[in-house]
Amino acid sequence: MRGISKRYPGVNALCGVDLALARGEVLALMGENGAGKSTLMKVLGGAVRPDAGEIWIDGQRQAMASPLAARAAGVAVIYQEFNLVPALSARENIFLGLEQTSAGFVRSSEERRKAEALLARTGVAVPLDVPCRRLTVAQQQAVEIAKALAVDARIIVMDEPTATLTPQEVQKLFAVIADLTRQGIAVIYVSHRLDEIEAIADRVQVLRDGRAVASRAAAELPRRELIELMVGRSLEEEFPKRTRAVGRPRLVVRGLSRGEKVRDVSFEVRAGEIVALAGLVGAGRTETVRLIFGADQPEEGVVELDGQPLTIRSPRDAIRAGICLLTEDRKHQGLVLSQSVLHNFALPNATHFARAGWAAGGWIDRRRERRAFAGYAEALRIRSNAADQPAGTLSGGNQQKVVLAKWLESNSEVLIFDEPTRGIDVGAKVEIYGLMNDLAAKGKAIVMVSSELPEVLGMADRILVMHDGRITGEIDDPAAATQADILSLAIR
Amino acid sequence: MNVSASPHTAHRVRGLAANMLAEHGMLLVLGLLCVFFSVVTLDEQTPTGAEAARQVSGALEREQAEGARLIVVAGRGGEEDAFAAVLQEQAEAAGWTVAAVAQGGPREARLALEDLASAGVVDVIACSSTAGAWGVFEGLGDRLPAFAQTVVLRPQPSRWPNFLKTTNLLNVANQIAVIAIVAIGMTLVILTGGIDLSVGSLIALSSVAGARLIRDVCGGQEAGLGGMLLGAAAGILICGLAGLLSGGVVTLFGIPPFIATLAMMLVASGSAYILAEGQSINQVPDAFVWLGRGADLGGLPNAVVLMLVLYGLAHVVMSRTTFGRYVYAVGGNAEAARLSGVPVRRIVLSVYVLCGLLAGLGGIVMASQLKSGAPTYGQMYELYVIAAVVVGGTSLSGGEGKVLGTLVGALIIAVIQNGMNLTGVESYTQKVVLGLVIFAAVLLDRLRSRRG
């Protein structure tokens, strides 16, 4: 891959990334969340077309215009959330799109024979006629690998393949990978687990901010240095300074649990405090804050605000109680993209703009609504003509500011920011940081979920690190801590 | 500079035109349809009644000296009587002498003329268009010398589209009223991303329930206003309950609306047949047709007035209240709406209830129009109602659309049907054309959203 670039509105996901892969090699692709790993993989898999750059495989330039073309070129991508049709059997999934037919009829017996042979190479026993949704994760993964083998893939890309596997299954997978490389297949392996990288990678390529920053033999790259390469910059100046004045406890969470994702989480946030929830993707941070906000129901646990236990059965209850959540996924959870910015802004604030004398949820005072929004638009520097545009037409940074504006208007006491600066350019980031500081200065309790370690270190008064649904560590003095400290708590 | 400026301007103009088309495309289509049917139904129109009388008296004023003597000749019956009465009144007010008014057939006209022949000179014979066609006025001067100088005035035919006649336009509006009223509720349901297939059956159920209550409880043909109101309210409320049931199944159990309302469609239709014992129920008072056939407000049919009022109300609710905002938000992105504190389930539920209530009201209007309730009413109406919503520009995936667009959509369907009736297109062909129109509407919508 040469000079691959991809721009999304608001961000440069990839800027001129080069990547080379030798036959039978295992290349670990490393980088922080948002460094551009998934975009790079999608380009390779034909799911995303790059703005610039070219891809050569075995001396031939490949167009990679579609997933089908990528498959034909010998590239198979196994995404974290597999690409299997849940209702179809393993056999049908393996041959989806390349059914073995004669005269239009599927030759089941031949498919079955081939499928058995392919699955045997993965070393996992998979029943052939059971709908895939009933298979275990490891079995589904085996089906994905068999799918890749069925098209004679020369390059197999695996995205976080071990994220949901048991240790035994991981060992089995490593054996399969070793076997594949012996057959001359090259593997690109994406993972956050440094132990695994050391165990199987021949070479490590590090991405940061959409650029390839290093490519080294795995053996020559100590863990410490790898983390530094991933994190890279020192960004202290990005974070506006503020005086810290922490008061009484406001939000208290005790014994919050739900399934495997959130196990017995307890913490408190005091007035004027910014508490960061750090950890890897899938550690349970988002799940935890969703429970506090009532987006999901906890199986156990108590949430208290200012000493009062809260009964929260829905986000509506939480908002009434004074808790708001800025979701990590603006497009699907934060905004109604087809509706105007103004309507989005007013959505949680119906009672603010209802005309006096009308029953709750009645007549909207549109002038008051517009005036209120204009105030935020100016303070947050949202484009002035944005109010009547569909929210979907705004850039990521502006969308995030609209989400901010709507929650600021709701005048919540507890503000939960889930990945507040994801996909936002640096300028807008600093504005949002400043705003968080202002809110803290007003005595609000702020919870920030973030995967960007510099942001966590720069903004938080206290850092809670989660791993596997539990809080595994607490850092009371972020100023004295390093990113490696957080990572070591998060990776285990 | 000019060279570079002009393509820029052209581009802007094109952009503006595209925008107009996107925003008001269906209104434009409606206008074009009206123009089209006006042109193809252009026909010779002979005025009758008061209008004919005014035309003739105008001609009198232009051509005759004051104080002229005239005879009014007309047939019998509503329009003819009106012609005679209005003309006599206008002529006398203008200072002419009405020597006689002859009404009836050609025989009566001839007798009256012969009577007058001895009584002096007659300047003008003013006849209605019916009477004007009679042979008695041919060679009148030869037979009766008294009429040698007499002018015969008839209303002059003019060219005017049958489609644009006031009676026809009101007819169009009245015929679509039921579908248009029900389509308000359907618009809300579709805006939330759902669908309600039961409305056609609910129309039948409501008409039957209302009519049966009036027949069995409120005294049948002798029922008073209270009885009729009770019957109507019962019909509407039953349908509201049906909506509550479908909405409850959709929100509480997450059953797809298509399935839930399909089931309700069967339940409602079956119940209508059971309630009506398979018959139509005609035992309702004569006054029951007030809603469906009356026209109390400046000649506008009451059903049309009701329809317009409901559309006005719905438009205001959807654009000015939190409820309206919530409906759009739920349809646009239910999860984002929920996380913004919108009571998503309650909104979805109330939308189905409203849709049921409006279908019930539609059933009552229809029963009033036809002066009976029957389980066969409203068959296939769900499809016409959905068609009106879709043609009106509401997206089936929810969150986008306007109530007033639905009114335009309903009118487009009505105009096409009416226009085809006027031009003698047979009903099978009409179905094909309607289907093609829906295709075109959805296509237009798709093109619009792709650009946006």
Side-chain angles (χ1 to χ4, degrees):
Chain A
M1 292 175 99
R2 268 192 225 146
I4 304 289
S5 295
K6 175 75 195 174
R7 236 190 104 75
Y8 286 117
V11 257
N12 268 322
L14 290 175
C15 325
V17 171
D18 296 337
L19 186 144
L21 190 62
R23 188 172 274 273
E25 181 182 43
V26 177
L27 174 72
L29 196 56
M30 303 290 292
E32 286 185 294
N33 296 325
K37 292 170 310 209
S38 15
T39 310
L40 189 62
M41 281 187 310
K42 282 179 187 159
V43 169
L44 195 52
V48 166
R49 299 197 70 167
D51 299 331
E54 40 197 58
I55 299 168
W56 295 72
I57 295 173
D58 289 346
Q60 273 186 314
R61 182 160 178 196
Q62 306 286 343
M64 298 290 198
S66 68
L68 208 67
R71 225 173 147 180
V75 178
V77 179
I78 303 177
Y79 294 101
Q80 205 176 337
E81 63 288 1
F82 304 122
N83 240 339
L84 300 172
V85 182
L88 295 185
S89 71
R91 169 176 67 79
E92 286 162 325
N93 265 298
I94 291 171
F95 292 103
L96 196 60
L98 20 119
E99 284 80 5
Q100 311 289 302
T101 58
S102 73
F105 290 95
V106 175
R107 293 163 68 185
S108 312
S109 53
E110 192 181 327
E111 281 192 7
R112 164 177 291 276
R113 203 160 34 73
K114 287 188 177 169
E116 273 168 0
L118 291 170
L119 284 168
R121 282 167 69 187
T122 70
V124 178
V126 179
L128 279 179
D129 295 309
V130 173
C132 273
R133 73 176 115 79
R134 283 206 249 138
L135 300 178
T136 67
V137 177
Q139 285 172 328
Q140 292 190 20
Q141 196 164 53
V143 175
E144 280 279 11
I145 295 172
K147 242 172 92 177
L149 295 174
V151 289
D152 279 327
R154 287 169 289 173
I155 300 170
I156 298 181
V157 183
M158 296 185 186
D159 183 10
E160 299 260 7
T162 57
T164 43
L165 294 184
T166 65
Q168 290 87 342
E169 288 168 342
V170 171
Q171 288 314 312
K172 223 174 215 174
L173 178 70
F174 287 174
V176 173
I177 291 176
D179 195 41
L180 291 175
T181 54
R182 270 195 295 281
Q183 297 166 31
I185 295 171
V187 174
I188 297 182
Y189 189 92
V190 179
S191 175
H192 282 297
R193 301 191 177 179
L194 298 182
D195 300 334
E196 292 175 3
I197 304 301
E198 283 163 9
I200 61 162
D202 301 318
R203 203 155 52 82
V204 178
Q205 171 129 9
V206 180
L207 286 186
R208 194 201 312 145
D209 291 341
R211 292 170 200 281
V213 292
S215 169
R216 306 251 199 100
E220 297 165 14
L221 191 62
R223 185 182 276 223
R224 189 89 212 170
E225 199 182 336
L226 175 57
I227 293 177
E228 276 171 19
L229 275 173
M230 279 165 66
V231 177
R233 65 230 142 134
S234 73
L235 284 168
E236 270 76 23
E237 67 281 3
E238 247 190 66
F239 304 101
K241 293 275 179 287
R242 73 192 163 96
T243 47
R244 205 179 132 170
V246 172
R248 68 206 144 79
R250 299 207 70 177
L251 177 75
V252 176
V253 176
R254 254 190 265 126
L256 214 54
S257 301
R258 183 185 161 99
E260 308 234 302
K261 288 289 193 178
V262 182
R263 307 183 205 195
D264 192 24
V265 170
S266 304
F267 63 93
E268 60 175 45
V269 185
R270 284 165 287 175
E273 192 180 33
I274 299 178
V275 171
L277 281 180
L280 299 177
V281 170
R285 300 165 303 165
T286 295
E287 288 79 2
T288 303
V289 294
R290 278 176 66 91
L291 292 183
I292 298 172
F293 185 60
D296 299 313
Q297 291 306 306
E299 285 156 6
E300 266 174 84
V302 190
V303 176
E304 288 175 11
L305 179 61
D306 294 333
Q308 297 292 316
L310 302 176
T311 316
I312 294 175
R313 289 202 201 82
S314 67
R316 194 173 173 75
D317 292 340
I319 293 166
R320 285 213 186 111
I323 299 175
C324 71
L325 169 66
L326 283 84
T327 53
E328 66 178 327
D329 182 349
R330 287 189 282 282
K331 287 189 192 301
H332 296 111
Q333 302 179 335
L335 291 169
V336 185
L337 295 179
S338 58
Q339 295 297 304
S340 77
V341 166
L342 191 63
H343 289 193
N344 270 290
F345 165 71
L347 206 50
N349 304 312
T351 47
H352 295 212
F353 304 123
R355 269 180 212 273
W358 286 84
W363 226 248
I364 296 167
D365 186 341
R366 295 196 293 181
R367 215 174 310 149
R368 185 134 49 104
E369 174 183 272
R370 199 167 281 276
R371 222 180 306 127
F373 179 72
Y376 291 107
E378 203 187 318
L380 298 174
R381 277 184 262 168
I382 301 173
R383 255 194 354 240
S384 58
N385 59 350
D388 296 313
Q389 292 185 349
T393 61
L394 266 57
S395 71
N398 275 310
Q399 285 182 1
Q400 186 71 333
K401 289 182 195 169
V402 173
V403 176
L404 261 168
K406 82 175 189 185
W407 292 120
L408 291 178
E409 170 65 23
S410 80
N411 206 15
S412 300
E413 295 307 317
V414 177
L415 293 104
I416 305 172
F417 294 82
D418 194 354
E419 303 287 0
T421 60
R422 174 174 290 175
I424 288 179
D425 57 67
V426 178
K429 272 185 189 176
V430 176
E431 285 172 34
I432 288 171
Y433 295 145
L435 208 86
M436 289 170 74
N437 285 340
D438 292 346
L439 289 165
K442 283 182 193 155
K444 313 263 184 197
I446 295 176
V447 179
M448 177 179 79
V449 174
S450 175
S451 301
E452 289 196 35
L453 296 180
E455 175 173 292
V456 169
L457 289 169
M459 287 302 297
D461 298 317
R462 205 146 50 83
I463 301 169
L464 303 172
V465 184
M466 286 190 74
H467 176 78
D468 212 12
R470 292 177 205 281
I471 293 183
T472 51
E474 182 169 341
I475 298 171
D476 281 325
D477 186 8
T482 64
Q483 300 183 6
D485 294 337
I486 300 179
L487 275 179
S488 66
L489 284 170
I491 292 173
R492 286 301 192 77
Chain B
M1 284 309 278
N2 273 338
V3 182
S4 69
S6 77
H8 181 66
T9 318
H11 183 77
R12 286 242 314 253
V13 168
R14 218 176 305 135
L16 207 68
N19 244 339
M20 278 294 292
L21 204 69
E23 286 293 313
H24 305 289
M26 281 304 153
L27 211 55
L28 188 75
V29 170
L30 180 62
L32 288 177
L33 279 171
C34 289
V35 170
F36 174 74
F37 284 120
S38 299
V39 171
V40 297
T41 62
L42 203 59
D43 201 2
E44 205 134 277
Q45 308 287 343
T46 347
T48 55
E51 198 195 330
R54 274 190 291 277
Q55 202 197 33
V56 171
S57 82
L60 267 173
E61 225 161 289
R62 263 179 274 117
E63 293 168 20
Q64 295 296 318
E66 213 165 296
R69 270 162 60 87
L70 65 116
I71 304 176
V72 177
V73 184
R76 287 211 185 280
E79 291 285 287
E80 296 291 303
D81 291 347
F83 171 80
V86 171
L87 186 57
Q88 189 176 6
E89 188 188 311
Q90 289 203 340
E92 280 169 354
W96 290 301
T97 317
V98 178
V101 176
Q103 279 194 270
R107 213 178 90 84
E108 281 84 357
R110 187 158 48 80
L111 290 176
L113 289 174
E114 282 166 3
D115 269 3
L116 282 172
S118 51
V121 182
V122 171
D123 301 303
V124 177
I125 298 173
C127 44
S128 73
S129 42
T130 319
W134 296 337
V136 282
F137 309 117
E138 300 292 325
L140 194 61
D142 300 340
R143 280 183 282 129
L144 300 166
F147 293 105
Q149 302 296 315
T150 305
V151 179
V152 179
L153 281 180
R154 306 177 171 86
Q156 291 304 305
S158 58
R159 290 181 69 75
W160 186 253
N162 283 329
F163 173 77
L164 279 188
K165 280 154 81 176
T166 322
T167 46
N168 185 58
L169 288 180
L170 289 179
N171 197 16
V172 169
N174 206 24
Q175 278 179 349
I176 204 65
V178 171
I179 286 177
I181 288 172
V182 180
I184 296 175
M186 186 67 82
T187 308
L188 300 199
V189 169
I190 290 181
L191 275 178
T192 64
I195 192 108
D196 189 344
L197 298 179
S198 68
V199 291
S201 304
L202 290 181
I203 289 174
L205 179 62
S206 161
S207 78
V208 167
R212 173 134 192 212
L213 200 71
I214 292 173
R215 183 189 71 187
D216 294 349
V217 179
C218 306
Q221 278 157 347
E222 273 73 51
L225 179 64
M228 286 190 286
L229 283 179
L230 186 71
I236 294 170
L237 279 181
I238 285 178
C239 293
L241 278 179
L244 184 70
L245 201 63
S246 337
V249 170
V250 169
T251 50
L252 294 182
F253 304 108
I255 308 288
F258 189 94
I259 305 299
T261 60
L262 184 73
M264 181 50 70
M265 168 176 146
L266 295 174
V267 170
S269 176
S271 310
Y273 274 97
I274 295 169
L275 263 182
E277 290 148 348
Q279 312 275 311
S280 81
I281 301 174
N282 312 309
Q283 293 86 342
V284 292
D286 291 337
F288 189 64
V289 300
W290 174 82
L291 183 60
R293 297 186 197 164
D296 288 340
L297 201 78
L300 273 179
N302 292 336
V304 175
V305 173
L306 176 67
M307 169 184 97
L308 292 177
V309 167
L310 286 173
Y311 268 94
L313 210 67
H315 173 70
V316 171
V317 166
M318 291 310 288
S319 58
R320 297 290 186 90
T321 67
T322 21
F323 173 77
R325 292 277 182 85
Y326 285 177
V327 169
Y328 279 107
V330 168
N333 184 341
E335 182 61 5
R338 187 175 79 97
L339 294 176
S340 294
V342 173
V344 174
R345 282 182 176 180
R346 217 184 302 158
I347 294 294
V348 173
L349 189 66
S350 46
V351 153
Y352 282 93
V353 171
L354 276 174
C355 187
L357 290 171
L358 284 162
L361 181 60
I364 296 299
V365 172
M366 194 159 176
S368 171
Q369 282 174 341
L370 302 172
K371 212 189 162 208
S372 59
T376 50
Y377 288 178
Q379 267 173 12
M380 297 273 286
Y381 268 42
E382 58 277 348
L383 299 184
Y384 287 108
V385 167
I386 294 169
V389 177
V390 172
V391 171
T394 296
S395 152
L396 274 179
S397 46
E400 277 175 273
K402 293 224 157 55
V403 178
L404 292 186
T406 300
L407 181 58
V408 174
L411 287 175
I412 285 176
I413 291 176
V415 164
I416 290 173
Q417 278 186 326
N418 177 267
M420 287 192 293
N421 279 334
L422 290 179
T423 48
V425 177
E426 59 171 340
S427 66
Y428 306 137
T429 318
Q430 289 191 12
K431 271 194 180 174
V432 174
V433 172
L434 261 184
L436 293 177
V437 166
I438 295 170
F439 264 132
V442 183
L443 222 70
L444 196 79
D445 181 58
R446 180 41 53 104
L447 289 176
R448 186 173 51 184
S449 63
R450 197 178 293 168
R451 202 181 44 235

